[in-house]
PDB file of all heavy atoms in Angstrom:
ATOM      1  N   PRO H 166     -53.788 133.182  66.529  1.00 80.00           N
ATOM      2  CA  PRO H 166     -55.226 132.911  66.669  1.00 80.00           C
ATOM      3  C   PRO H 166     -56.117 133.815  65.831  1.00 80.00           C
ATOM      4  O   PRO H 166     -57.299 133.504  65.642  1.00 80.00           O
ATOM      5  CB  PRO H 166     -55.478 133.130  68.172  1.00 80.00           C
ATOM      6  CG  PRO H 166     -54.379 134.024  68.618  1.00 80.00           C
ATOM      7  CD  PRO H 166     -53.188 133.643  67.802  1.00 80.00           C
ATOM      8  N   GLN H 167     -55.590 134.918  65.313  1.00 86.00           N
ATOM      9  CA  GLN H 167     -56.408 135.791  64.470  1.00 86.00           C
ATOM     10  C   GLN H 167     -56.591 135.234  63.062  1.00 86.00           C
ATOM     11  O   GLN H 167     -57.485 135.671  62.336  1.00 86.00           O
ATOM     12  CB  GLN H 167     -55.782 137.186  64.376  1.00 86.00           C
ATOM     13  CG  GLN H 167     -55.770 137.965  65.678  1.00 86.00           C
ATOM     14  CD  GLN H 167     -55.413 139.418  65.446  1.00 86.00           C
ATOM     15  OE1 GLN H 167     -56.107 140.136  64.742  1.00 86.00           O
ATOM     16  NE2 GLN H 167     -54.312 139.850  66.043  1.00 86.00           N
ATOM     17  N   VAL H 168     -55.750 134.285  62.672  1.00 88.00           N
ATOM     18  CA  VAL H 168     -55.773 133.766  61.303  1.00 88.00           C
ATOM     19  C   VAL H 168     -56.776 132.626  61.202  1.00 88.00           C
ATOM     20  O   VAL H 168     -56.723 131.661  61.968  1.00 88.00           O
ATOM     21  CB  VAL H 168     -54.372 133.284  60.881  1.00 88.00           C
ATOM     22  CG1 VAL H 168     -54.414 132.681  59.484  1.00 88.00           C
ATOM     23  CG2 VAL H 168     -53.382 134.442  60.935  1.00 88.00           C
ATOM     24  N   THR H 169     -57.691 132.735  60.254  1.00 83.00           N
ATOM     25  CA  THR H 169     -58.711 131.705  60.059  1.00 83.00           C
ATOM     26  C   THR H 169     -58.476 130.867  58.817  1.00 83.00           C
ATOM     27  O   THR H 169     -58.863 129.706  58.765  1.00 83.00           O
ATOM     28  CB  THR H 169     -60.113 132.333  59.974  1.00 83.00           C
ATOM     29  OG1 THR H 169     -60.130 133.299  58.918  1.00 83.00           O
ATOM     30  CG2 THR H 169     -60.476 133.013  61.290  1.00 83.00           C
ATOM     31  N   GLU H 170     -57.861 131.446  57.776  1.00 88.00           N
ATOM     32  CA  GLU H 170     -57.579 130.710  56.550  1.00 88.00           C
ATOM     33  C   GLU H 170     -56.232 131.141  56.000  1.00 88.00           C
ATOM     34  O   GLU H 170     -55.852 132.323  56.098  1.00 88.00           O
ATOM     35  CB  GLU H 170     -58.648 130.952  55.481  1.00 88.00           C
ATOM     36  CG  GLU H 170     -60.012 130.375  55.792  1.00 88.00           C
ATOM     37  CD  GLU H 170     -60.979 130.546  54.632  1.00 88.00           C
ATOM     38  OE1 GLU H 170     -60.824 129.841  53.611  1.00 88.00           O
ATOM     39  OE2 GLU H 170     -61.876 131.395  54.743  1.00 88.00           O
ATOM     40  N   ILE H 171     -55.493 130.196  55.416  1.00 92.00           N
ATOM     41  CA  ILE H 171     -54.198 130.484  54.806  1.00 92.00           C
ATOM     42  C   ILE H 171     -54.201 129.950  53.381  1.00 92.00           C
ATOM     43  O   ILE H 171     -54.525 128.784  53.141  1.00 92.00           O
ATOM     44  CB  ILE H 171     -53.041 129.863  55.596  1.00 92.00           C
ATOM     45  CG1 ILE H 171     -53.047 130.331  57.053  1.00 92.00           C
ATOM     46  CG2 ILE H 171     -51.696 130.210  54.944  1.00 92.00           C
ATOM     47  CD1 ILE H 171     -51.997 129.655  57.923  1.00 92.00           C
ATOM     48  N   PHE H 172     -53.810 130.802  52.437  1.00 94.00           N
ATOM     49  CA  PHE H 172     -53.664 130.407  51.045  1.00 94.00           C
ATOM     50  C   PHE H 172     -52.210 130.595  50.640  1.00 94.00           C
ATOM     51  O   PHE H 172     -51.472 131.360  51.265  1.00 94.00           O
ATOM     52  CB  PHE H 172     -54.572 131.249  50.141  1.00 94.00           C
ATOM     53  CG  PHE H 172     -56.009 131.248  50.562  1.00 94.00           C
ATOM     54  CD1 PHE H 172     -56.516 132.264  51.369  1.00 94.00           C
ATOM     55  CD2 PHE H 172     -56.854 130.233  50.178  1.00 94.00           C
ATOM     56  CE1 PHE H 172     -57.841 132.277  51.764  1.00 94.00           C
ATOM     57  CE2 PHE H 172     -58.180 130.214  50.571  1.00 94.00           C
ATOM     58  CZ  PHE H 172     -58.674 131.235  51.362  1.00 94.00           C
ATOM     59  N   GLU H 173     -51.795 129.904  49.598  1.00 94.00           N
ATOM     60  CA  GLU H 173     -50.418 130.000  49.128  1.00 94.00           C
ATOM     61  C   GLU H 173     -50.388 130.220  47.623  1.00 94.00           C
ATOM     62  O   GLU H 173     -51.271 129.747  46.899  1.00 94.00           O
ATOM     63  CB  GLU H 173     -49.621 128.738  49.484  1.00 94.00           C
ATOM     64  CG  GLU H 173     -49.443 128.513  50.960  1.00 94.00           C
ATOM     65  CD  GLU H 173     -48.538 127.317  51.256  1.00 94.00           C
ATOM     66  OE1 GLU H 173     -47.890 126.814  50.305  1.00 94.00           O
ATOM     67  OE2 GLU H 173     -48.484 126.890  52.417  1.00 94.00           O
ATOM     68  N   ALA H 174     -49.372 130.953  47.165  1.00 96.00           N
ATOM     69  CA  ALA H 174     -49.138 131.155  45.742  1.00 96.00           C
ATOM     70  C   ALA H 174     -47.628 131.191  45.525  1.00 96.00           C
ATOM     71  O   ALA H 174     -46.877 131.621  46.400  1.00 96.00           O
ATOM     72  CB  ALA H 174     -49.782 132.447  45.253  1.00 96.00           C
ATOM     73  N   GLU H 175     -47.202 130.736  44.350  1.00 95.00           N
ATOM     74  CA  GLU H 175     -45.766 130.671  44.076  1.00 95.00           C
ATOM     75  C   GLU H 175     -45.266 131.795  43.182  1.00 95.00           C
ATOM     76  O   GLU H 175     -44.077 131.877  42.903  1.00 95.00           O
ATOM     77  CB  GLU H 175     -45.420 129.324  43.442  1.00 95.00           C
ATOM     78  CG  GLU H 175     -46.095 129.073  42.104  1.00 95.00           C
ATOM     79  CD  GLU H 175     -45.757 127.702  41.548  1.00 95.00           C
ATOM     80  OE1 GLU H 175     -45.092 126.930  42.265  1.00 95.00           O
ATOM     81  OE2 GLU H 175     -46.157 127.412  40.406  1.00 95.00           O
ATOM     82  N   GLY H 176     -46.187 132.650  42.721  1.00 95.00           N
ATOM     83  CA  GLY H 176     -45.759 133.723  41.837  1.00 95.00           C
ATOM     84  C   GLY H 176     -46.808 134.802  41.691  1.00 95.00           C
ATOM     85  O   GLY H 176     -47.871 134.773  42.323  1.00 95.00           O
ATOM     86  N   VAL H 177     -46.516 135.763  40.819  1.00 96.00           N
ATOM     87  CA  VAL H 177     -47.383 136.914  40.621  1.00 96.00           C
ATOM     88  C   VAL H 177     -48.736 136.509  40.064  1.00 96.00           C
ATOM     89  O   VAL H 177     -49.792 136.935  40.555  1.00 96.00           O
ATOM     90  CB  VAL H 177     -46.694 137.927  39.680  1.00 96.00           C
ATOM     91  CG1 VAL H 177     -47.665 139.036  39.289  1.00 96.00           C
ATOM     92  CG2 VAL H 177     -45.452 138.511  40.340  1.00 96.00           C
ATOM     93  N   VAL H 178     -48.733 135.665  39.035  1.00 95.00           N
ATOM     94  CA  VAL H 178     -49.976 135.280  38.375  1.00 95.00           C
ATOM     95  C   VAL H 178     -50.889 134.508  39.329  1.00 95.00           C
ATOM     96  O   VAL H 178     -52.079 134.815  39.470  1.00 95.00           O
ATOM     97  CB  VAL H 178     -49.697 134.440  37.114  1.00 95.00           C
ATOM     98  CG1 VAL H 178     -51.005 133.910  36.524  1.00 95.00           C
ATOM     99  CG2 VAL H 178     -48.954 135.274  36.079  1.00 95.00           C
ATOM    100  N   SER H 179     -50.319 133.507  39.997  1.00 96.00           N
ATOM    101  CA  SER H 179     -51.137 132.700  40.911  1.00 96.00           C
ATOM    102  C   SER H 179     -51.603 133.526  42.107  1.00 96.00           C
ATOM    103  O   SER H 179     -52.702 133.331  42.627  1.00 96.00           O
ATOM    104  CB  SER H 179     -50.370 131.464  41.372  1.00 96.00           C
ATOM    105  OG  SER H 179     -49.135 131.803  41.967  1.00 96.00           O
ATOM    106  N   ALA H 180     -50.786 134.484  42.549  1.00 96.00           N
ATOM    107  CA  ALA H 180     -51.185 135.351  43.665  1.00 96.00           C
ATOM    108  C   ALA H 180     -52.382 136.217  43.271  1.00 96.00           C
ATOM    109  O   ALA H 180     -53.335 136.370  44.047  1.00 96.00           O
ATOM    110  CB  ALA H 180     -50.018 136.234  44.095  1.00 96.00           C
ATOM    111  N   GLN H 181     -52.338 136.773  42.070  1.00 94.00           N
ATOM    112  CA  GLN H 181     -53.450 137.594  41.614  1.00 94.00           C
ATOM    113  C   GLN H 181     -54.723 136.776  41.512  1.00 94.00           C
ATOM    114  O   GLN H 181     -55.828 137.250  41.837  1.00 94.00           O
ATOM    115  CB  GLN H 181     -53.125 138.215  40.259  1.00 94.00           C
ATOM    116  CG  GLN H 181     -54.177 139.177  39.744  1.00 94.00           C
ATOM    117  CD  GLN H 181     -54.319 140.418  40.588  1.00 94.00           C
ATOM    118  OE1 GLN H 181     -53.423 141.279  40.610  1.00 94.00           O
ATOM    119  NE2 GLN H 181     -55.439 140.541  41.293  1.00 94.00           N
ATOM    120  N   GLN H 182     -54.607 135.521  41.097  1.00 94.00           N
ATOM    121  CA  GLN H 182     -55.772 134.641  41.004  1.00 94.00           C
ATOM    122  C   GLN H 182     -56.388 134.397  42.381  1.00 94.00           C
ATOM    123  O   GLN H 182     -57.616 134.410  42.534  1.00 94.00           O
ATOM    124  CB  GLN H 182     -55.370 133.319  40.344  1.00 94.00           C
ATOM    125  CG  GLN H 182     -55.025 133.453  38.874  1.00 94.00           C
ATOM    126  CD  GLN H 182     -54.443 132.175  38.287  1.00 94.00           C
ATOM    127  OE1 GLN H 182     -53.988 131.274  39.018  1.00 94.00           O
ATOM    128  NE2 GLN H 182     -54.453 132.069  36.972  1.00 94.00           N
ATOM    129  N   VAL H 183     -55.535 134.170  43.382  1.00 94.00           N
ATOM    130  CA  VAL H 183     -56.039 133.949  44.737  1.00 94.00           C
ATOM    131  C   VAL H 183     -56.703 135.211  45.272  1.00 94.00           C
ATOM    132  O   VAL H 183     -57.757 135.153  45.914  1.00 94.00           O
ATOM    133  CB  VAL H 183     -54.904 133.489  45.674  1.00 94.00           C
ATOM    134  CG1 VAL H 183     -55.411 133.381  47.112  1.00 94.00           C
ATOM    135  CG2 VAL H 183     -54.335 132.149  45.228  1.00 94.00           C
ATOM    136  N   VAL H 184     -56.098 136.357  45.011  1.00 94.00           N
ATOM    137  CA  VAL H 184     -56.671 137.624  45.468  1.00 94.00           C
ATOM    138  C   VAL H 184     -58.060 137.820  44.867  1.00 94.00           C
ATOM    139  O   VAL H 184     -59.014 138.196  45.564  1.00 94.00           O
ATOM    140  CB  VAL H 184     -55.752 138.807  45.092  1.00 94.00           C
ATOM    141  CG1 VAL H 184     -56.467 140.145  45.328  1.00 94.00           C
ATOM    142  CG2 VAL H 184     -54.470 138.757  45.907  1.00 94.00           C
ATOM    143  N   ASN H 185     -58.199 137.543  43.577  1.00 92.00           N
ATOM    144  CA  ASN H 185     -59.484 137.734  42.902  1.00 92.00           C
ATOM    145  C   ASN H 185     -60.553 136.768  43.417  1.00 92.00           C
ATOM    146  O   ASN H 185     -61.734 137.130  43.503  1.00 92.00           O
ATOM    147  CB  ASN H 185     -59.323 137.538  41.397  1.00 92.00           C
ATOM    148  CG  ASN H 185     -58.457 138.610  40.761  1.00 92.00           C
ATOM    149  OD1 ASN H 185     -58.263 139.679  41.328  1.00 92.00           O
ATOM    150  ND2 ASN H 185     -57.924 138.329  39.590  1.00 92.00           N
TER     151      ASN H 185
END
Side-chain angles (χ1 to χ4, degrees):
Q167 293 192 61
V168 177
T169 57
E170 292 185 73
I171 304 175
F172 306 95
E173 295 185 11
E175 62 182 6
V177 171
V178 174
S179 56
Q181 184 66 70
Q182 291 172 343
V183 175
V184 169
N185 294 340

